[in-house]
Amino acid sequence: MELRKAFARNLRIARASVGFSQEELADLAELDRTYISALERCLYSASLDTIERIANALKVEPAELLRPLDRKSARRKARG
């Protein structure tokens, strides 16, 4: 469960840092916007294939989306 939370948090941060809406990211990754939203809210677990598609759309390494973050640095990065 902790990995899923880290993924959800990292996904939100990475998406915000490139300025994509959930819909824009979903289009680039060929996924549904509601699925991106559910991933960010930690409702679903993403498959490795999905993580790779999202990472490619965001132009980051898949490992970056799975990296554990402490809460303080996650808040700082989200604020920019």
Side-chain angles (χ1 to χ4, degrees):
M1 186 67 151
E2 287 302 311
L3 185 58
R4 189 177 353 167
K5 288 179 185 177
F7 174 75
R9 190 171 51 241
N10 292 335
L11 174 56
R12 269 192 312 274
I13 291 167
R15 181 179 59 76
S17 73
V18 295
F20 288 164
S21 67
Q22 289 178 345
E23 188 168 356
E24 289 168 324
L25 175 57
D27 287 344
L28 288 170
E30 298 180 352
L31 298 166
D32 193 88
R33 186 210 48 86
T34 60
Y35 184 66
I36 297 293
S37 174
L39 289 174
E40 288 186 359
R41 291 180 291 134
C42 207
L43 298 178
Y44 294 145
S45 295
S47 70
L48 292 175
D49 290 338
T50 298
I51 293 170
E52 183 176 38
R53 287 165 65 179
I54 291 171
N56 288 340
L58 293 169
K59 295 184 178 13
V60 299
E61 291 296 319
E64 189 173 326
L65 297 176
L66 299 172
R67 181 174 36 88
L69 285 178
D70 66 298
R71 292 186 188 275
K72 285 183 183 176
S73 48
R75 282 194 296 266
R76 275 194 301 257
K77 286 185 180 184
R79 284 187 225 140

